[in-house]
Amino acid sequence: MFRIFEFIGAHIRPFLEEFGRMVLLLLNTFKWLIRPPLDIRNIMKQILEVGVRSTPVVLITAVFTGMVLALQSYTGFKRFNAEAMMGTVVALSMTRELGPVLTGLIVAGRAGSAMAAELGTMRVTEQIDALYTMATNPVKYLIVPRFLAGILMLPALTILADIIGIIGGYFVGVVILDTNPTVYISRTKDYLVLSDIYNGLIKSSFFGMAISLISCYKGFYTEGGAEGVGKATTGAVVISSMTILISDYFLSAWLYG
């Protein structure tokens, strides 16, 4: 009987320890975040890495997502003579769900993996330890800029993804499928409200915080040399992606419930 509890505890304990260290890192990040000065140059560097360099792949993904969403919506609604609702479905789907979630997954795969790999390499080559010897707090110098960049740039990228996705849906619906452009636009305006956009941006801000925190955590506590860096990078992308998909449900239930 006790072996069962030992077996369960042996598997739960590492998870609880890792979760506790992540919470402590989050609290430590907030503590150093509010302490001046902020390294604006380093923050802008991370904004360039997380936001600007992720823009092309986000836009390509968004435009084809909007296009395929319009195509599938038209095919389904045509059975019920409801093609006029196609624009509404594209706009609501992009702003509420697909824009924030797909942007988060893309940034997790691109920028999140880069964060984990960079910090992991610094850890195994003892560069982080060297920061302590120079009286420089590594959380303030390494994690805070990445944390801020994630929170600020995910909503910005989501706005671009929403706009481009809706434009892609309009192109397929009006140009390719030859639906009425006036009806397409008017239906979208009638049913899309600002709260749909704001709630999607709230989601994306949380996703940005989760991606940067998880990626920095996995890289900051890397062990085991080059193999450990690879495992940390993989773990950062997988855990960030799972966190986005799982938290999306709870955020949707809270924001739209």
Side-chain angles (χ1 to χ4, degrees), residues 2-37:
F2 290 105
R3 291 182 178 179
I4 297 177
F5 291 107
E6 290 178 358
F7 177 80
I8 296 175
H11 287 78
I12 293 179
R13 181 179 175 182
F15 169 77
L16 294 177
E17 290 178 349
E18 190 163 0
F19 180 76
R21 285 196 297 179
M22 192 176 298
V23 171
L24 291 176
L25 180 62
L26 176 62
L27 296 176
N28 201 17
T29 301
F30 278 122
K31 182 183 75 172
W32 287 101
L33 178 62
I34 61 177
R35 287 190 179 184

PDB file of all heavy atoms in Angstrom, residues 2-37:
ATOM      1  N   PHE A   2       1.867   1.250   0.889  1.00  0.00           N
ATOM      2  CA  PHE A   2       2.727   2.418   0.992  1.00  0.00           C
ATOM      3  C   PHE A   2       3.598   2.585  -0.244  1.00  0.00           C
ATOM      4  O   PHE A   2       4.020   3.698  -0.565  1.00  0.00           O
ATOM      5  CB  PHE A   2       3.595   2.326   2.249  1.00  0.00           C
ATOM      6  CG  PHE A   2       2.811   2.480   3.524  1.00  0.00           C
ATOM      7  CD1 PHE A   2       2.529   1.376   4.318  1.00  0.00           C
ATOM      8  CD2 PHE A   2       2.345   3.714   3.919  1.00  0.00           C
ATOM      9  CE1 PHE A   2       1.803   1.508   5.478  1.00  0.00           C
ATOM     10  CE2 PHE A   2       1.622   3.863   5.081  1.00  0.00           C
ATOM     11  CZ  PHE A   2       1.341   2.761   5.873  1.00  0.00           C
ATOM     12  N   ARG A   3       3.872   1.479  -0.941  1.00  0.00           N
ATOM     13  CA  ARG A   3       4.673   1.591  -2.161  1.00  0.00           C
ATOM     14  C   ARG A   3       3.948   2.385  -3.236  1.00  0.00           C
ATOM     15  O   ARG A   3       4.591   3.046  -4.057  1.00  0.00           O
ATOM     16  CB  ARG A   3       5.016   0.190  -2.676  1.00  0.00           C
ATOM     17  CG  ARG A   3       5.989  -0.577  -1.779  1.00  0.00           C
ATOM     18  CD  ARG A   3       6.325  -1.920  -2.373  1.00  0.00           C
ATOM     19  NE  ARG A   3       7.302  -2.623  -1.540  1.00  0.00           N
ATOM     20  CZ  ARG A   3       7.754  -3.842  -1.815  1.00  0.00           C
ATOM     21  NH1 ARG A   3       7.321  -4.480  -2.905  1.00  0.00           N
ATOM     22  NH2 ARG A   3       8.628  -4.412  -1.003  1.00  0.00           N
ATOM     23  N   ILE A   4       2.630   2.294  -3.225  1.00  0.00           N
ATOM     24  CA  ILE A   4       1.856   3.066  -4.199  1.00  0.00           C
ATOM     25  C   ILE A   4       2.051   4.557  -3.956  1.00  0.00           C
ATOM     26  O   ILE A   4       2.297   5.340  -4.878  1.00  0.00           O
ATOM     27  CB  ILE A   4       0.361   2.692  -4.125  1.00  0.00           C
ATOM     28  CG1 ILE A   4       0.167   1.217  -4.494  1.00  0.00           C
ATOM     29  CG2 ILE A   4      -0.463   3.597  -5.042  1.00  0.00           C
ATOM     30  CD1 ILE A   4      -1.257   0.737  -4.377  1.00  0.00           C
ATOM     31  N   PHE A   5       1.960   4.956  -2.672  1.00  0.00           N
ATOM     32  CA  PHE A   5       2.150   6.370  -2.336  1.00  0.00           C
ATOM     33  C   PHE A   5       3.591   6.812  -2.609  1.00  0.00           C
ATOM     34  O   PHE A   5       3.830   7.950  -3.026  1.00  0.00           O
ATOM     35  CB  PHE A   5       1.788   6.606  -0.872  1.00  0.00           C
ATOM     36  CG  PHE A   5       0.318   6.459  -0.581  1.00  0.00           C
ATOM     37  CD1 PHE A   5      -0.147   5.359   0.108  1.00  0.00           C
ATOM     38  CD2 PHE A   5      -0.575   7.416  -1.014  1.00  0.00           C
ATOM     39  CE1 PHE A   5      -1.499   5.214   0.369  1.00  0.00           C
ATOM     40  CE2 PHE A   5      -1.931   7.286  -0.748  1.00  0.00           C
ATOM     41  CZ  PHE A   5      -2.398   6.177  -0.065  1.00  0.00           C
ATOM     42  N   GLU A   6       4.549   5.907  -2.378  1.00  0.00           N
ATOM     43  CA  GLU A   6       5.941   6.232  -2.674  1.00  0.00           C
ATOM     44  C   GLU A   6       6.134   6.436  -4.178  1.00  0.00           C
ATOM     45  O   GLU A   6       6.857   7.344  -4.612  1.00  0.00           O
ATOM     46  CB  GLU A   6       6.853   5.114  -2.180  1.00  0.00           C
ATOM     47  CG  GLU A   6       6.946   5.021  -0.661  1.00  0.00           C
ATOM     48  CD  GLU A   6       7.822   3.867  -0.220  1.00  0.00           C
ATOM     49  OE1 GLU A   6       8.319   3.136  -1.118  1.00  0.00           O
ATOM     50  OE2 GLU A   6       8.004   3.679   0.987  1.00  0.00           O
ATOM     51  N   PHE A   7       5.472   5.579  -4.955  1.00  0.00           N
ATOM     52  CA  PHE A   7       5.586   5.696  -6.409  1.00  0.00           C
ATOM     53  C   PHE A   7       4.973   7.015  -6.891  1.00  0.00           C
ATOM     54  O   PHE A   7       5.563   7.725  -7.714  1.00  0.00           O
ATOM     55  CB  PHE A   7       4.880   4.509  -7.080  1.00  0.00           C
ATOM     56  CG  PHE A   7       4.874   4.571  -8.585  1.00  0.00           C
ATOM     57  CD1 PHE A   7       5.981   4.192  -9.322  1.00  0.00           C
ATOM     58  CD2 PHE A   7       3.739   5.022  -9.264  1.00  0.00           C
ATOM     59  CE1 PHE A   7       5.967   4.261 -10.700  1.00  0.00           C
ATOM     60  CE2 PHE A   7       3.727   5.086 -10.644  1.00  0.00           C
ATOM     61  CZ  PHE A   7       4.843   4.700 -11.366  1.00  0.00           C
ATOM     62  N   ILE A   8       3.788   7.343  -6.361  1.00  0.00           N
ATOM     63  CA  ILE A   8       3.127   8.596  -6.759  1.00  0.00           C
ATOM     64  C   ILE A   8       3.956   9.797  -6.316  1.00  0.00           C
ATOM     65  O   ILE A   8       4.175  10.748  -7.065  1.00  0.00           O
ATOM     66  CB  ILE A   8       1.703   8.663  -6.160  1.00  0.00           C
ATOM     67  CG1 ILE A   8       0.844   7.544  -6.745  1.00  0.00           C
ATOM     68  CG2 ILE A   8       1.074  10.030  -6.433  1.00  0.00           C
ATOM     69  CD1 ILE A   8      -0.534   7.449  -6.127  1.00  0.00           C
ATOM     70  N   GLY A   9       4.446   9.745  -5.075  1.00  0.00           N
ATOM     71  CA  GLY A   9       5.243  10.858  -4.558  1.00  0.00           C
ATOM     72  C   GLY A   9       6.536  11.055  -5.323  1.00  0.00           C
ATOM     73  O   GLY A   9       6.974  12.191  -5.539  1.00  0.00           O
ATOM     74  N   ALA A  10       7.145   9.956  -5.748  1.00  0.00           N
ATOM     75  CA  ALA A  10       8.401  10.054  -6.491  1.00  0.00           C
ATOM     76  C   ALA A  10       8.223  10.758  -7.837  1.00  0.00           C
ATOM     77  O   ALA A  10       9.156  11.375  -8.353  1.00  0.00           O
ATOM     78  CB  ALA A  10       8.988   8.665  -6.712  1.00  0.00           C
ATOM     79  N   HIS A  11       7.014  10.673  -8.403  1.00  0.00           N
ATOM     80  CA  HIS A  11       6.760  11.312  -9.686  1.00  0.00           C
ATOM     81  C   HIS A  11       6.184  12.719  -9.522  1.00  0.00           C
ATOM     82  O   HIS A  11       6.372  13.572 -10.396  1.00  0.00           O
ATOM     83  CB  HIS A  11       5.795  10.467 -10.519  1.00  0.00           C
ATOM     84  CG  HIS A  11       6.415   9.213 -11.063  1.00  0.00           C
ATOM     85  ND1 HIS A  11       6.614   8.086 -10.284  1.00  0.00           N
ATOM     86  CD2 HIS A  11       6.902   8.915 -12.306  1.00  0.00           C
ATOM     87  CE1 HIS A  11       7.191   7.143 -11.024  1.00  0.00           C
ATOM     88  NE2 HIS A  11       7.377   7.615 -12.243  1.00  0.00           N
ATOM     89  N   ILE A  12       5.485  12.950  -8.421  1.00  0.00           N
ATOM     90  CA  ILE A  12       4.890  14.269  -8.205  1.00  0.00           C
ATOM     91  C   ILE A  12       5.916  15.247  -7.636  1.00  0.00           C
ATOM     92  O   ILE A  12       5.899  16.440  -7.967  1.00  0.00           O
ATOM     93  CB  ILE A  12       3.668  14.154  -7.269  1.00  0.00           C
ATOM     94  CG1 ILE A  12       2.550  13.382  -7.961  1.00  0.00           C
ATOM     95  CG2 ILE A  12       3.165  15.527  -6.844  1.00  0.00           C
ATOM     96  CD1 ILE A  12       1.322  13.193  -7.107  1.00  0.00           C
ATOM     97  N   ARG A  13       6.822  14.749  -6.801  1.00  0.00           N
ATOM     98  CA  ARG A  13       7.778  15.641  -6.134  1.00  0.00           C
ATOM     99  C   ARG A  13       8.620  16.458  -7.112  1.00  0.00           C
ATOM    100  O   ARG A  13       8.760  17.674  -6.929  1.00  0.00           O
ATOM    101  CB  ARG A  13       8.677  14.829  -5.200  1.00  0.00           C
ATOM    102  CG  ARG A  13       9.688  15.681  -4.444  1.00  0.00           C
ATOM    103  CD  ARG A  13      10.524  14.835  -3.512  1.00  0.00           C
ATOM    104  NE  ARG A  13      11.570  15.640  -2.890  1.00  0.00           N
ATOM    105  CZ  ARG A  13      12.475  15.150  -2.047  1.00  0.00           C
ATOM    106  NH1 ARG A  13      12.438  13.872  -1.716  1.00  0.00           N
ATOM    107  NH2 ARG A  13      13.392  15.951  -1.540  1.00  0.00           N
ATOM    108  N   PRO A  14       9.203  15.848  -8.161  1.00  0.00           N
ATOM    109  CA  PRO A  14       9.986  16.678  -9.101  1.00  0.00           C
ATOM    110  C   PRO A  14       9.150  17.766  -9.759  1.00  0.00           C
ATOM    111  O   PRO A  14       9.633  18.888  -9.970  1.00  0.00           O
ATOM    112  CB  PRO A  14      10.490  15.656 -10.127  1.00  0.00           C
ATOM    113  CG  PRO A  14      10.476  14.364  -9.415  1.00  0.00           C
ATOM    114  CD  PRO A  14       9.300  14.421  -8.504  1.00  0.00           C
ATOM    115  N   PHE A  15       7.889  17.440 -10.074  1.00  0.00           N
ATOM    116  CA  PHE A  15       7.020  18.446 -10.683  1.00  0.00           C
ATOM    117  C   PHE A  15       6.765  19.602  -9.726  1.00  0.00           C
ATOM    118  O   PHE A  15       6.824  20.781 -10.117  1.00  0.00           O
ATOM    119  CB  PHE A  15       5.692  17.808 -11.094  1.00  0.00           C
ATOM    120  CG  PHE A  15       4.636  18.799 -11.488  1.00  0.00           C
ATOM    121  CD1 PHE A  15       4.673  19.414 -12.730  1.00  0.00           C
ATOM    122  CD2 PHE A  15       3.614  19.123 -10.600  1.00  0.00           C
ATOM    123  CE1 PHE A  15       3.696  20.349 -13.081  1.00  0.00           C
ATOM    124  CE2 PHE A  15       2.646  20.055 -10.952  1.00  0.00           C
ATOM    125  CZ  PHE A  15       2.683  20.656 -12.200  1.00  0.00           C
ATOM    126  N   LEU A  16       6.480  19.281  -8.455  1.00  0.00           N
ATOM    127  CA  LEU A  16       6.223  20.334  -7.478  1.00  0.00           C
ATOM    128  C   LEU A  16       7.463  21.177  -7.225  1.00  0.00           C
ATOM    129  O   LEU A  16       7.371  22.401  -7.070  1.00  0.00           O
ATOM    130  CB  LEU A  16       5.727  19.715  -6.169  1.00  0.00           C
ATOM    131  CG  LEU A  16       4.360  19.008  -6.232  1.00  0.00           C
ATOM    132  CD1 LEU A  16       4.024  18.384  -4.886  1.00  0.00           C
ATOM    133  CD2 LEU A  16       3.272  19.990  -6.663  1.00  0.00           C
ATOM    134  N   GLU A  17       8.628  20.536  -7.193  1.00  0.00           N
ATOM    135  CA  GLU A  17       9.861  21.292  -6.994  1.00  0.00           C
ATOM    136  C   GLU A  17      10.115  22.244  -8.161  1.00  0.00           C
ATOM    137  O   GLU A  17      10.491  23.408  -7.963  1.00  0.00           O
ATOM    138  CB  GLU A  17      11.042  20.325  -6.834  1.00  0.00           C
ATOM    139  CG  GLU A  17      11.030  19.548  -5.518  1.00  0.00           C
ATOM    140  CD  GLU A  17      12.181  18.573  -5.429  1.00  0.00           C
ATOM    141  OE1 GLU A  17      12.847  18.353  -6.466  1.00  0.00           O
ATOM    142  OE2 GLU A  17      12.414  18.029  -4.333  1.00  0.00           O
ATOM    143  N   GLU A  18       9.899  21.752  -9.375  1.00  0.00           N
ATOM    144  CA  GLU A  18      10.129  22.596 -10.546  1.00  0.00           C
ATOM    145  C   GLU A  18       9.110  23.738 -10.600  1.00  0.00           C
ATOM    146  O   GLU A  18       9.455  24.879 -10.927  1.00  0.00           O
ATOM    147  CB  GLU A  18      10.054  21.756 -11.820  1.00  0.00           C
ATOM    148  CG  GLU A  18      10.513  22.490 -13.061  1.00  0.00           C
ATOM    149  CD  GLU A  18      10.833  21.545 -14.206  1.00  0.00           C
ATOM    150  OE1 GLU A  18      10.698  20.325 -14.016  1.00  0.00           O
ATOM    151  OE2 GLU A  18      11.206  22.025 -15.284  1.00  0.00           O
ATOM    152  N   PHE A  19       7.864  23.423 -10.263  1.00  0.00           N
ATOM    153  CA  PHE A  19       6.837  24.466 -10.252  1.00  0.00           C
ATOM    154  C   PHE A  19       7.150  25.524  -9.195  1.00  0.00           C
ATOM    155  O   PHE A  19       6.977  26.725  -9.429  1.00  0.00           O
ATOM    156  CB  PHE A  19       5.466  23.839  -9.975  1.00  0.00           C
ATOM    157  CG  PHE A  19       4.337  24.833  -9.951  1.00  0.00           C
ATOM    158  CD1 PHE A  19       3.838  25.362 -11.126  1.00  0.00           C
ATOM    159  CD2 PHE A  19       3.784  25.238  -8.740  1.00  0.00           C
ATOM    160  CE1 PHE A  19       2.796  26.279 -11.113  1.00  0.00           C
ATOM    161  CE2 PHE A  19       2.750  26.163  -8.713  1.00  0.00           C
ATOM    162  CZ  PHE A  19       2.253  26.686  -9.902  1.00  0.00           C
ATOM    163  N   GLY A  20       7.619  25.084  -8.028  1.00  0.00           N
ATOM    164  CA  GLY A  20       7.983  26.033  -6.975  1.00  0.00           C
ATOM    165  C   GLY A  20       9.133  26.934  -7.388  1.00  0.00           C
ATOM    166  O   GLY A  20       9.099  28.149  -7.132  1.00  0.00           O
ATOM    167  N   ARG A  21      10.146  26.367  -8.033  1.00  0.00           N
ATOM    168  CA  ARG A  21      11.270  27.195  -8.504  1.00  0.00           C
ATOM    169  C   ARG A  21      10.820  28.188  -9.564  1.00  0.00           C
ATOM    170  O   ARG A  21      11.311  29.322  -9.617  1.00  0.00           O
ATOM    171  CB  ARG A  21      12.385  26.308  -9.053  1.00  0.00           C
ATOM    172  CG  ARG A  21      13.197  25.596  -7.984  1.00  0.00           C
ATOM    173  CD  ARG A  21      14.499  25.066  -8.536  1.00  0.00           C
ATOM    174  NE  ARG A  21      14.290  24.065  -9.572  1.00  0.00           N
ATOM    175  CZ  ARG A  21      15.275  23.463 -10.235  1.00  0.00           C
ATOM    176  NH1 ARG A  21      16.531  23.779  -9.987  1.00  0.00           N
ATOM    177  NH2 ARG A  21      15.005  22.554 -11.146  1.00  0.00           N
ATOM    178  N   MET A  22       9.857  27.779 -10.390  1.00  0.00           N
ATOM    179  CA  MET A  22       9.363  28.683 -11.416  1.00  0.00           C
ATOM    180  C   MET A  22       8.586  29.847 -10.793  1.00  0.00           C
ATOM    181  O   MET A  22       8.709  30.997 -11.237  1.00  0.00           O
ATOM    182  CB  MET A  22       8.479  27.925 -12.413  1.00  0.00           C
ATOM    183  CG  MET A  22       8.135  28.700 -13.672  1.00  0.00           C
ATOM    184  SD  MET A  22       7.185  27.724 -14.855  1.00  0.00           S
ATOM    185  CE  MET A  22       8.351  26.411 -15.226  1.00  0.00           C
ATOM    186  N   VAL A  23       7.791  29.545  -9.762  1.00  0.00           N
ATOM    187  CA  VAL A  23       7.061  30.610  -9.069  1.00  0.00           C
ATOM    188  C   VAL A  23       8.033  31.568  -8.398  1.00  0.00           C
ATOM    189  O   VAL A  23       7.863  32.798  -8.440  1.00  0.00           O
ATOM    190  CB  VAL A  23       6.077  30.010  -8.048  1.00  0.00           C
ATOM    191  CG1 VAL A  23       5.466  31.107  -7.174  1.00  0.00           C
ATOM    192  CG2 VAL A  23       4.985  29.230  -8.752  1.00  0.00           C
ATOM    193  N   LEU A  24       9.067  31.031  -7.772  1.00  0.00           N
ATOM    194  CA  LEU A  24      10.064  31.888  -7.135  1.00  0.00           C
ATOM    195  C   LEU A  24      10.780  32.761  -8.166  1.00  0.00           C
ATOM    196  O   LEU A  24      11.066  33.944  -7.899  1.00  0.00           O
ATOM    197  CB  LEU A  24      11.082  31.031  -6.378  1.00  0.00           C
ATOM    198  CG  LEU A  24      10.561  30.312  -5.126  1.00  0.00           C
ATOM    199  CD1 LEU A  24      11.653  29.433  -4.534  1.00  0.00           C
ATOM    200  CD2 LEU A  24      10.072  31.318  -4.096  1.00  0.00           C
ATOM    201  N   LEU A  25      11.067  32.194  -9.335  1.00  0.00           N
ATOM    202  CA  LEU A  25      11.697  32.987 -10.393  1.00  0.00           C
ATOM    203  C   LEU A  25      10.759  34.091 -10.861  1.00  0.00           C
ATOM    204  O   LEU A  25      11.202  35.217 -11.132  1.00  0.00           O
ATOM    205  CB  LEU A  25      12.087  32.083 -11.561  1.00  0.00           C
ATOM    206  CG  LEU A  25      12.761  32.780 -12.752  1.00  0.00           C
ATOM    207  CD1 LEU A  25      14.072  33.426 -12.318  1.00  0.00           C
ATOM    208  CD2 LEU A  25      12.991  31.794 -13.891  1.00  0.00           C
ATOM    209  N   LEU A  26       9.458  33.793 -10.952  1.00  0.00           N
ATOM    210  CA  LEU A  26       8.490  34.808 -11.353  1.00  0.00           C
ATOM    211  C   LEU A  26       8.445  35.944 -10.333  1.00  0.00           C
ATOM    212  O   LEU A  26       8.458  37.129 -10.708  1.00  0.00           O
ATOM    213  CB  LEU A  26       7.106  34.176 -11.505  1.00  0.00           C
ATOM    214  CG  LEU A  26       5.952  35.136 -11.836  1.00  0.00           C
ATOM    215  CD1 LEU A  26       6.185  35.818 -13.183  1.00  0.00           C
ATOM    216  CD2 LEU A  26       4.625  34.390 -11.833  1.00  0.00           C
ATOM    217  N   LEU A  27       8.399  35.610  -9.060  1.00  0.00           N
ATOM    218  CA  LEU A  27       8.380  36.637  -8.020  1.00  0.00           C
ATOM    219  C   LEU A  27       9.670  37.452  -8.030  1.00  0.00           C
ATOM    220  O   LEU A  27       9.643  38.686  -7.861  1.00  0.00           O
ATOM    221  CB  LEU A  27       8.170  35.986  -6.654  1.00  0.00           C
ATOM    222  CG  LEU A  27       6.826  35.260  -6.450  1.00  0.00           C
ATOM    223  CD1 LEU A  27       6.798  34.579  -5.090  1.00  0.00           C
ATOM    224  CD2 LEU A  27       5.664  36.227  -6.603  1.00  0.00           C
ATOM    225  N   ASN A  28      10.792  36.776  -8.225  1.00  0.00           N
ATOM    226  CA  ASN A  28      12.079  37.471  -8.293  1.00  0.00           C
ATOM    227  C   ASN A  28      12.132  38.400  -9.505  1.00  0.00           C
ATOM    228  O   ASN A  28      12.696  39.505  -9.435  1.00  0.00           O
ATOM    229  CB  ASN A  28      13.212  36.449  -8.348  1.00  0.00           C
ATOM    230  CG  ASN A  28      14.541  37.033  -7.923  1.00  0.00           C
ATOM    231  OD1 ASN A  28      14.606  38.096  -7.303  1.00  0.00           O
ATOM    232  ND2 ASN A  28      15.609  36.344  -8.255  1.00  0.00           N
ATOM    233  N   THR A  29      11.532  37.961 -10.601  1.00  0.00           N
ATOM    234  CA  THR A  29      11.491  38.802 -11.802  1.00  0.00           C
ATOM    235  C   THR A  29      10.669  40.054 -11.562  1.00  0.00           C
ATOM    236  O   THR A  29      11.073  41.167 -11.949  1.00  0.00           O
ATOM    237  CB  THR A  29      10.902  38.002 -12.982  1.00  0.00           C
ATOM    238  OG1 THR A  29      11.710  36.838 -13.222  1.00  0.00           O
ATOM    239  CG2 THR A  29      10.875  38.857 -14.240  1.00  0.00           C
ATOM    240  N   PHE A  30       9.515  39.912 -10.934  1.00  0.00           N
ATOM    241  CA  PHE A  30       8.691  41.081 -10.623  1.00  0.00           C
ATOM    242  C   PHE A  30       9.430  42.028  -9.666  1.00  0.00           C
ATOM    243  O   PHE A  30       9.317  43.257  -9.789  1.00  0.00           O
ATOM    244  CB  PHE A  30       7.363  40.648 -10.010  1.00  0.00           C
ATOM    245  CG  PHE A  30       6.333  40.226 -11.015  1.00  0.00           C
ATOM    246  CD1 PHE A  30       5.765  38.964 -10.970  1.00  0.00           C
ATOM    247  CD2 PHE A  30       5.932  41.096 -12.013  1.00  0.00           C
ATOM    248  CE1 PHE A  30       4.815  38.578 -11.892  1.00  0.00           C
ATOM    249  CE2 PHE A  30       4.980  40.724 -12.957  1.00  0.00           C
ATOM    250  CZ  PHE A  30       4.414  39.457 -12.897  1.00  0.00           C
ATOM    251  N   LYS A  31      10.181  41.454  -8.723  1.00  0.00           N
ATOM    252  CA  LYS A  31      10.908  42.289  -7.771  1.00  0.00           C
ATOM    253  C   LYS A  31      11.939  43.151  -8.481  1.00  0.00           C
ATOM    254  O   LYS A  31      12.043  44.363  -8.226  1.00  0.00           O
ATOM    255  CB  LYS A  31      11.595  41.399  -6.728  1.00  0.00           C
ATOM    256  CG  LYS A  31      12.350  42.194  -5.669  1.00  0.00           C
ATOM    257  CD  LYS A  31      13.066  41.270  -4.703  1.00  0.00           C
ATOM    258  CE  LYS A  31      14.309  40.672  -5.348  1.00  0.00           C
ATOM    259  NZ  LYS A  31      15.127  39.910  -4.376  1.00  0.00           N
ATOM    260  N   TRP A  32      12.697  42.551  -9.401  1.00  0.00           N
ATOM    261  CA  TRP A  32      13.722  43.313 -10.116  1.00  0.00           C
ATOM    262  C   TRP A  32      13.128  44.166 -11.229  1.00  0.00           C
ATOM    263  O   TRP A  32      13.761  45.121 -11.687  1.00  0.00           O
ATOM    264  CB  TRP A  32      14.772  42.364 -10.677  1.00  0.00           C
ATOM    265  CG  TRP A  32      15.669  41.813  -9.621  1.00  0.00           C
ATOM    266  CD1 TRP A  32      15.609  40.574  -9.045  1.00  0.00           C
ATOM    267  CD2 TRP A  32      16.747  42.494  -8.982  1.00  0.00           C
ATOM    268  NE1 TRP A  32      16.581  40.439  -8.096  1.00  0.00           N
ATOM    269  CE2 TRP A  32      17.309  41.609  -8.036  1.00  0.00           C
ATOM    270  CE3 TRP A  32      17.304  43.762  -9.115  1.00  0.00           C
ATOM    271  CZ2 TRP A  32      18.392  41.946  -7.232  1.00  0.00           C
ATOM    272  CZ3 TRP A  32      18.384  44.114  -8.318  1.00  0.00           C
ATOM    273  CH2 TRP A  32      18.910  43.213  -7.388  1.00  0.00           C
ATOM    274  N   LEU A  33      11.911  43.832 -11.649  1.00  0.00           N
ATOM    275  CA  LEU A  33      11.268  44.615 -12.693  1.00  0.00           C
ATOM    276  C   LEU A  33      10.926  46.022 -12.215  1.00  0.00           C
ATOM    277  O   LEU A  33      11.024  47.002 -12.978  1.00  0.00           O
ATOM    278  CB  LEU A  33       9.997  43.898 -13.167  1.00  0.00           C
ATOM    279  CG  LEU A  33       9.151  44.599 -14.238  1.00  0.00           C
ATOM    280  CD1 LEU A  33       9.941  44.773 -15.517  1.00  0.00           C
ATOM    281  CD2 LEU A  33       7.882  43.807 -14.498  1.00  0.00           C
ATOM    282  N   ILE A  34      10.502  46.137 -10.967  1.00  0.00           N
ATOM    283  CA  ILE A  34      10.087  47.442 -10.445  1.00  0.00           C
ATOM    284  C   ILE A  34      11.253  48.231  -9.857  1.00  0.00           C
ATOM    285  O   ILE A  34      11.078  49.359  -9.409  1.00  0.00           O
ATOM    286  CB  ILE A  34       8.993  47.265  -9.375  1.00  0.00           C
ATOM    287  CG1 ILE A  34       9.510  46.435  -8.195  1.00  0.00           C
ATOM    288  CG2 ILE A  34       7.758  46.624  -9.987  1.00  0.00           C
ATOM    289  CD1 ILE A  34       8.505  46.285  -7.069  1.00  0.00           C
ATOM    290  N   ARG A  35      12.443  47.638  -9.850  1.00  0.00           N
ATOM    291  CA  ARG A  35      13.618  48.340  -9.324  1.00  0.00           C
ATOM    292  C   ARG A  35      14.343  49.047 -10.464  1.00  0.00           C
ATOM    293  O   ARG A  35      14.770  48.413 -11.421  1.00  0.00           O
ATOM    294  CB  ARG A  35      14.583  47.365  -8.642  1.00  0.00           C
ATOM    295  CG  ARG A  35      14.105  46.852  -7.300  1.00  0.00           C
ATOM    296  CD  ARG A  35      15.219  46.097  -6.612  1.00  0.00           C
ATOM    297  NE  ARG A  35      14.819  45.613  -5.305  1.00  0.00           N
ATOM    298  CZ  ARG A  35      15.625  44.992  -4.456  1.00  0.00           C
ATOM    299  NH1 ARG A  35      16.902  44.773  -4.808  1.00  0.00           N
ATOM    300  NH2 ARG A  35      15.198  44.574  -3.289  1.00  0.00           N
ATOM    301  N   PRO A  36      14.470  50.361 -10.390  1.00  0.00           N
ATOM    302  CA  PRO A  36      15.232  51.067 -11.433  1.00  0.00           C
ATOM    303  C   PRO A  36      16.716  50.810 -11.260  1.00  0.00           C
ATOM    304  O   PRO A  36      17.153  50.425 -10.161  1.00  0.00           O
ATOM    305  CB  PRO A  36      14.866  52.542 -11.170  1.00  0.00           C
ATOM    306  CG  PRO A  36      14.515  52.594  -9.715  1.00  0.00           C
ATOM    307  CD  PRO A  36      13.919  51.262  -9.372  1.00  0.00           C
ATOM    308  N   PRO A  37      17.500  51.007 -12.310  1.00  0.00           N
ATOM    309  CA  PRO A  37      17.043  51.454 -13.638  1.00  0.00           C
ATOM    310  C   PRO A  37      16.733  50.271 -14.540  1.00  0.00           C
ATOM    311  O   PRO A  37      17.187  49.159 -14.298  1.00  0.00           O
ATOM    312  CB  PRO A  37      18.259  52.221 -14.149  1.00  0.00           C
ATOM    313  CG  PRO A  37      19.424  51.477 -13.550  1.00  0.00           C
ATOM    314  CD  PRO A  37      18.970  50.997 -12.196  1.00  0.00           C
TER     315      PRO A  37
END
